[in-house]
């Protein structure tokens, strides 16, 4: 006969029950019909039912237990194997549901028949909930990872730790400084960084299969983007939560494209050297931006030459008439000359008419030129610093697209001038656009607008000068005076009216415009205007 536990421990059954009762573990003993025979404090604490309620109640009903398999099957297993373990759902006294990890052991009677079941339970509700939440978030993450129209990469950076360790051992304290001295180190870091997983969008964007993308990341980073990669690693080391930048990327087949690169460093990932990277194709966006810039530049240009466009039409119309008259008179003159006895009087008259028509044509040009500056200028007192600022706004796009650096040195206290704001701005815009165009072929492109006063001595008004300088090829001295002639241009699409109009405007303001240039050192166009007289009283 087997020893009873109480005999082994040498304690009475009563005190053994007392011990079991005090245990924190929920311990329940029931007969095979489910009637509860023993219900300890652990059970009370877990299920919320007092011992009085529990005793002789039937366990499955009291606890509304939901088993993972039909109860008969479980009981059969219990009887066959003497024990069973599984997770069930039970209802607590307060109505809540709990997930309980159960262990059942079968006690047999003296004859070896099944008699009672000893049950211990453990509340695993919180653990299961957390697991479920994790599973869901993992699922959501996977869904997002694979379904988003952003190319996502999971990268393994763990090899970099060893490289940084080696650097520290050599006394390197700043990665930034090390990279500045050894640019090749960035490529080494790229080669050591591995692509672990990618989403569907990445396959499209990088034009490759998943297998082709897995591996060293350096294949997708052209040299022009090394600084971005370096900055993202430095951001991670500096414990920044994320990093974002535009960068060039390379597809599996070597085609380059513009992307927006986002890298985030979740705290949980970093210790394992893992990180998540997103790449969005911004080729279209950049193209749209460039188109916009180009259109704006064209608009500024169009605004500048629209007056000239109108002019061309009227010039063509107005000048055509005298020109055909000249031709007709020339032909008539020739006919009089070719007679057997030339009629010199008729020839003289034809010549007179030709001169008259030619003068008319030149008069038309003169009138048109004045028309281009819209007649009499308005006269306001003008501060030049804001005037220059406004003109710069108009050409800013043009400067950016052509990579021209701008320096404006116009003192705020430069004396005022009197004149027409729009016309003077037109002069500045013309000079700046000419300067930008002149610098198209040179590497160093700097446009300087300087403002200064020149004293002309006793009795003479001071002159205020706005000088526009460029670093272009300059102007040969023998051409300097021609530039201001109407229709003088060296550009295939030029009108040759810009400087001519500038000169007319300058002169209408009682000023002048001149060019100074040293070959190879760029050109400076000086707009010289008389300083405005002192304001008269309060009127
Ligand atoms: P357009 O710009 O249509 O040619 P402009 O009257 O504005 O007409 O200029 C006339 C010519 O003067 C230009 O074709 C160019 O040869 C010359 N020019 C103007 N600005 C500059 C400059 N900053 N540097 C060198 N040459 C210039």
């Amino acid at each position: 006969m087997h020893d009873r536990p109480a005999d082994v421990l040498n304690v009475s059954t009563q005190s053994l029950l007392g011990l079991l009762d005090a245990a924190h573990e929920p311990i329940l003993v029931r007969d095979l019909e489910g009637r509860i025979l023993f219900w300890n404090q652990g059970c009370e604490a877990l299920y919320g039912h007092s011992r009085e309620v529990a005793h002789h109640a039937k366990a499955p009903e009291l606890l509304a237990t939901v088993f993972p398999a039909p109860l008969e099957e479980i009981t059969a297993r219990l009887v066959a194997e003497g024990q069973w373990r599984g997770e069930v759902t039970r209802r607590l006294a307060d109505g809540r549901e709990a997930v309980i990890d159960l262990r059942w052991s079968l006690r047999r009677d003296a004859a070896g028949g099944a008699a009672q079941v000893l049950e211990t339970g453990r509340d695993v509700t919180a653990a299961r909930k957390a697991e479920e939440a994790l599973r869901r978030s993992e699922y959501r993450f996977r869904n997002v990872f694979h379904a988003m129209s952003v190319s996502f990469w999971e990268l393994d950076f763990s090899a970099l730790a060893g490289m940084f360790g080696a650097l520290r051992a050599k006394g390197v304290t700043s990665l930034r400084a090390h990279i500045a001295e050894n640019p090749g180190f960035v490529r080494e870091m790229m080669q050591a960084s591995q692509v672990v997983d990618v989403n569907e969008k990445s396959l499209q964007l990088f034009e490759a299969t998943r297998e082709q993308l897995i591996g060293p990341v350096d294949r997708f980073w052209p040299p022009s983007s090394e600084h971005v990669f370096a900055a993202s690693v430095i951001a991670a080391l500096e414990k920044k939560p994320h990093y974002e930048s535009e960068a060039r990327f390379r597809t599996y087949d070597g085609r380059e494209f513009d992307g927006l690169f986002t890298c985030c460093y979740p705290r949980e990932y970093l210790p394992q050297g893992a990180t998540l990277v997103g790449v969005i194709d911004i080729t279209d966006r950049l193209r749209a931006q460039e188109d916009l810039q180009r259109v704006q530049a064209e608009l500024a240009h169009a605004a500048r030459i629209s007056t000239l466009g109108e002019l061309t039409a009227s010039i063509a119309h107005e000048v055509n008439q005298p020109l055909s008259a000249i031709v007709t008179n020339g032909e008539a003159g020739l006919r009089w000359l070719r007679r057997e006895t030339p009629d010199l009087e008729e020839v003289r008259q034809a010549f007179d008419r030709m001169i008259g028509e030619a003068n008319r044509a030149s008069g038309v040009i003169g009138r048109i030129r004045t028309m281009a500056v819209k007649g009499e200028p308005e006269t306001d007192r003008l501060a030049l610093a804001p005037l220059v600022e406004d003109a710069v706004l108009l050409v800013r796009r043009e400067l950016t697209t052509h990579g021209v650096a701008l320096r404006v040195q116009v003192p705020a206290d430069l004396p005022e001038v009197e004149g027409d704001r729009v016309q003077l701005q037109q002069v500045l815009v013309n000079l700046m656009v000419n300067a930008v165009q002149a610098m198209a072929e040179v590497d160093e492109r700097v446009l300087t607008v300087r403002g200064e006063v020149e004293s002309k001595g006793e009795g003479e008004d001071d002159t205020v000068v706005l000088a526009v300088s460029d670093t272009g090829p300059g102007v040969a001295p023998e051409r300097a005076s021609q530039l201001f002639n109407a229709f003088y241009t060296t550009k295939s699409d030029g009108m040759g009216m810009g400087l001519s109009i500038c000169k007319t405007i300058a002169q209408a303001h009682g000023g002048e415009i001149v060019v100074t240039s040293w070959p190879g050192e760029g050109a400076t166009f000086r707009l010289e205007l008389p300083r405005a007289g002192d304001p008269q009283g309060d009127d």
Side-chain angles (χ1 to χ4, degrees):
M1 181 176 163
H2 291 292
D3 288 331
R4 298 211 324 255
D7 297 336
V8 175
L9 289 172
N10 199 18
V11 289
S12 70
T13 309
Q14 209 47 43
S15 50
L16 182 62
L17 284 177
L19 278 175
L20 289 177
D21 183 37
H24 287 299
E25 283 275 289
I27 299 171
L28 179 160
V29 180
R30 61 169 176 86
D31 63 21
L32 282 187
E33 276 75 53
R35 253 189 309 273
I36 295 169
L37 308 172
F38 180 78
W39 180 266
N40 79 342
Q41 288 178 21
C43 284
E44 281 185 352
L46 169 59
Y47 299 112
H49 294 294
S50 69
R51 184 172 323 217
E52 291 69 40
V53 174
H55 270 182
H56 301 295
K58 283 208 163 176
E61 280 106 73
L62 179 70
L63 301 168
T65 310
V66 180
F67 292 94
L71 187 55
E72 299 77 54
E73 261 177 44
I74 294 176
T75 311
R77 282 261 292 279
L78 174 70
V79 172
E81 294 170 14
Q83 57 184 7
W84 176 78
R85 182 176 181 179
E87 265 179 30
V88 300
T89 310
R90 282 182 166 168
R91 204 176 42 239
L92 310 182
D94 60 12
R96 276 183 301 133
E97 297 247 300
V99 183
I100 314 287
D101 179 23
L102 286 188
R103 278 162 189 269
W104 285 353
S105 331
L106 190 69
R107 288 192 61 205
R108 298 181 191 275
D109 57 20
Q116 291 160 355
V117 179
L118 173 75
E119 172 195 300
T120 54
R122 197 162 56 88
D123 184 0
V124 292
T125 315
R128 291 295 168 270
K129 268 205 184 121
E131 278 168 20
E132 175 66 13
L134 190 68
R135 208 176 53 74
R136 271 173 202 270
S137 103
E138 180 90 338
Y139 174 75
R140 262 201 309 270
F141 169 76
R142 283 281 128 197
N143 256 355
V144 169
F145 187 84
H146 284 294
M148 286 268 287
S149 65
V150 173
S151 158
F152 275 128
W153 303 62
E154 209 179 314
L155 297 187
D156 178 1
F157 276 129
S158 50
L160 297 195
M163 294 169 70
F164 298 153
L167 284 185
R168 272 194 300 275
K170 280 199 281 176
V172 174
T173 51
S174 154
L175 180 64
R176 211 186 281 270
H178 180 73
I179 288 175
E181 281 168 31
N182 309 275
F185 188 70
V186 179
R187 203 35 63 192
E188 287 170 34
M189 291 197 296
M190 287 179 179
Q191 282 154 356
S193 305
Q194 301 288 324
V195 181
V196 180
D197 194 7
V198 293
N199 69 347
E200 288 297 321
K201 181 72 192 172
S202 305
L203 310 185
Q204 285 169 25
L205 191 56
F206 287 84
E207 296 162 0
T209 64
R210 192 177 307 274
E211 292 67 37
Q212 287 170 327
L213 292 184
I214 307 291
V217 81
D218 73 300
R219 296 167 293 156
F220 309 105
W221 288 79
S224 56
S225 288
E226 279 173 1
H227 66 284
V228 174
F229 188 90
S232 78
V233 175
I234 290 171
L237 290 180
E238 287 173 351
K239 301 212 164 38
K240 304 254 166 68
H242 48 77
Y243 172 82
E244 185 178 299
S245 171
E246 286 182 10
R248 294 285 286 174
F249 287 96
R250 194 184 269 159
T251 64
Y252 187 74
D253 288 331
R255 182 181 63 84
E256 284 193 15
F257 67 93
D258 290 297
L260 178 70
F261 164 73
T262 317
C263 196
C264 63
Y265 317 103
R267 270 175 212 287
E268 316 77 61
Y269 272 43
L270 271 190
Q272 302 133 42
T275 190
L276 200 61
V277 161
V279 178
I280 302 173
D281 184 0
I282 52 169
T283 313
D284 290 345
R285 200 171 86 188
L286 288 189
R287 195 173 296 144
Q289 251 169 23
E290 273 164 21
D291 282 352
L292 184 69
Q293 282 182 5
R294 192 173 43 71
V295 168
Q296 276 172 340
E298 277 169 6
L299 268 183
H301 193 72
R304 186 176 79 106
I305 63 168
S306 68
T307 7
L308 300 184
E310 287 164 27
L311 272 182
T312 331
S314 49
I315 290 168
H317 181 72
E318 299 262 336
V319 177
N320 221 12
Q321 277 178 331
L323 281 182
S324 23
I326 290 171
V327 172
T328 318
N329 281 299
E331 283 167 357
L334 280 178
R335 272 198 307 276
W336 290 117
L337 273 178
R338 281 200 206 103
R339 292 196 162 191
E340 245 165 72
T341 33
D343 188 334
L344 291 183
E345 178 50 24
E346 286 291 350
V347 174
R348 194 191 55 77
Q349 282 177 19
F351 271 33
D352 271 352
R353 281 193 299 271
M354 280 163 72
I355 292 170
E357 292 297 339
N359 278 337
R360 202 178 126 205
S362 120
V364 166
I365 301 225
R367 273 207 315 283
I368 286 168
R369 202 151 83 179
T370 352
M371 218 172 72
V373 294
K374 298 190 218 101
E376 287 297 298
E378 306 255 331
T379 43
D380 287 324
R381 291 180 68 89
L382 301 173
L384 291 176
L387 192 124
V388 171
E389 254 173 53
D390 287 352
V392 163
L393 279 184
L394 289 173
V395 294
R396 210 183 43 197
R397 289 269 171 216
E398 196 113 347
L399 297 180
T400 325
T401 0
H402 292 90
V404 174
L406 174 73
R407 294 188 194 137
V408 178
Q409 299 158 1
V410 182
D413 59 356
L414 199 65
E416 292 177 326
V417 300
E418 251 173 51
D420 184 312
R421 171 188 304 279
V422 178
Q423 286 187 5
L424 292 180
Q425 256 169 25
Q426 198 184 343
V427 172
L428 283 175
V429 168
N430 257 308
L431 295 182
M432 289 195 278
V433 172
N434 273 347
V436 171
Q437 291 173 347
M439 291 188 285
E441 305 293 324
V442 298
D443 291 336
E444 202 211 349
R445 299 174 190 165
V446 186
L447 173 65
T448 311
V449 184
R450 206 174 289 114
E452 59 203 23
V453 203
E454 269 178 13
S455 295
K456 286 277 170 79
E458 275 299 297
E460 294 250 8
D461 284 339
D462 288 345
T463 300
V464 187
V465 181
L466 285 180
V468 178
S469 312
D470 59 59
T471 50
V475 178
E478 62 276 13
R479 285 202 302 124
S481 59
Q482 289 174 290
L483 301 189
F484 299 95
N485 292 345
F487 305 119
Y488 175 88
T489 180
T490 54
K491 300 167 193 167
S492 56
D493 59 345
M495 296 270 308
M497 286 299 284
L499 287 179
S500 154
I501 291 175
C502 288
K503 190 160 199 101
T504 314
I505 293 176
Q507 289 171 348
H509 281 78
E512 196 44 87
I513 184 162
V514 293
V515 58
T516 54
S517 170
W518 286 267
E521 284 186 29
T524 297
F525 286 80
R526 289 163 51 93
L527 171 65
E528 304 175 345
L529 298 167
R531 172 189 186 145
D534 288 332
Q536 308 277 303
D538 283 331
D539 52 331

